Amino acid sequence: MSTERTEEVENGTTTTTTTEEVSPEMLIKHPLQNMWSLWFYKNDRTKSWEENLMEIITFDTVEDFWALYNHLEVVSKIPLGCDYALFKQGIKPMWEDNRNKQGGRWLLNVQKSQRNTDLNNYWLEILLCMIGEAFDESSDDVNGTVVQIRNKGDKLAVWTADVKHYDAIMKIGRTIKERLNLHPRNTIGYEAHADTQVKTGVKPYILILRKKSTIENWKWL
């Protein structure tokens, strides 16, 4: 919708100015089901791990997400040793958080050769799964996601709330493979945070999803 305003100037001539009015619908933001917080981990060896972990911003609308994403450095360009994390508000991206203690993570290892070709797309797709509640009824079990840039290869993980929620974990894993369009031969492993923290010679309790469609292809190792 537009309006016109006519003004008369001193020499007797008139000018007409057209101004655009923004419809009320364009001013309404689209709320998300959850509030989400973006975190950044800076690899500063002079500081402790917790000191390096910084909460950047919290958002709860589609428009605010895109405003944030479009102003962020793409994940493939952040320095080695640094992380991005997106978690539901109130949950810190650390094992010690009470809402993470009983959970685990789906983990996708991304080769260095894929950093400039696939990693950015993988990360964005996972973010959209998070804020869009793409895991359906299992979305309540999703706490957040972390991407880590490392010299030997990058890591992309989706953190879940409880390792005992087997059906939800399966749904989340299948959705990740489908949304990332991973080749059926590509595997993603699930591991409990409690086992990941125990750095012993014992192999962690890992669930591997080998194909994206059949439950029978899940194997406990």
Side-chain angles (χ1 to χ4, degrees):
M1 180 184 297
S2 62
T3 60
E4 291 185 350
R5 184 180 63 182
T6 302
E7 297 179 350
E8 186 172 348
V9 296
E10 292 181 357
N11 59 7
T13 60
T14 60
T15 59
T16 301
T17 303
T18 301
T19 58
E20 293 291 332
E21 289 185 359
V22 179
S23 64
E25 290 79 7
M26 296 296 292
L27 298 175
I28 298 175
K29 292 185 177 183
H30 298 79
L32 300 173
Q33 185 168 322
N34 287 287
M35 296 186 71
W36 297 88
S37 295
L38 178 74
W39 298 76
F40 180 70
Y41 176 82
K42 184 178 181 180
N43 186 26
D44 185 344
R45 296 186 179 183
T46 66
K47 297 181 180 180
S48 68
W49 189 89
E50 288 194 40
E51 289 175 329
N52 277 325
L53 185 63
M54 298 171 285
E55 185 175 7
I56 305 301
I57 195 171
T58 298
F59 61 89
D60 62 357
T61 70
V62 174
E63 290 76 8
D64 289 342
F65 164 74
W66 284 114
L68 169 64
Y69 183 82
N70 289 331
H71 284 84
L72 278 179
E73 183 73 88
V74 293
V75 66
S76 62
K77 300 299 183 183
I78 66 174
L80 287 175
C82 295
D83 308 346
Y84 277 146
L86 185 76
F87 274 68
K88 290 174 179 174
Q89 186 189 37
I91 306 178
K92 293 182 179 181
M94 53 197 303
W95 297 328
E96 295 83 358
D97 189 289
N98 286 332
R99 293 178 64 179
N100 290 326
K101 283 183 177 180
Q102 304 303 316
R105 63 176 182 171
W106 279 109
L107 182 62
L108 172 65
N109 291 301
V110 183
Q111 297 179 8
K112 288 177 62 176
S113 60
Q114 295 177 277
R115 183 175 296 161
N116 294 316
T117 57
D118 297 322
L119 183 62
N120 292 331
N121 290 333
Y122 286 169
W123 174 238
L124 175 57
E125 194 62 37
I126 290 296
L127 294 180
L128 295 177
C129 286
M130 297 282 134
I131 68 171
E133 311 293 330
F135 307 103
D136 299 329
E137 69 280 356
S138 300
S139 293
D140 288 342
D141 268 84
V142 174
N143 283 353
T145 180
V146 180
V147 60
Q148 300 174 306
I149 305 301
R150 300 294 184 266
N151 187 46
K152 294 183 178 181
D154 308 321
K155 299 179 184 294
L156 181 58
V158 173
W159 289 31
T160 70
D162 196 325
V163 295
K164 296 179 182 178
H165 295 175
Y166 183 74
D167 290 341
I169 291 172
M170 289 196 296
K171 167 66 176 178
I172 293 165
R174 287 198 300 269
T175 302
I176 292 170
K177 290 209 70 173
E178 291 168 0
R179 291 291 292 263
L180 298 186
N181 196 29
L182 298 179
H183 191 280
R185 292 183 179 178
N186 289 354
T187 61
I188 57 175
Y190 185 86
E191 52 192 23
H193 293 320
D195 290 328
T196 307
Q197 293 178 73
V198 180
K199 296 182 178 180
T200 65
V202 179
K203 193 173 184 178
Y205 172 67
I206 297 178
L207 179 65
I208 290 186
L209 182 57
R210 297 190 180 278
K211 294 185 180 180
K212 64 181 180 181
S213 58
T214 57
I215 295 176
E216 289 76 8
N217 284 287
W218 287 69
K219 293 186 178 181
W220 294 95
L221 300 181

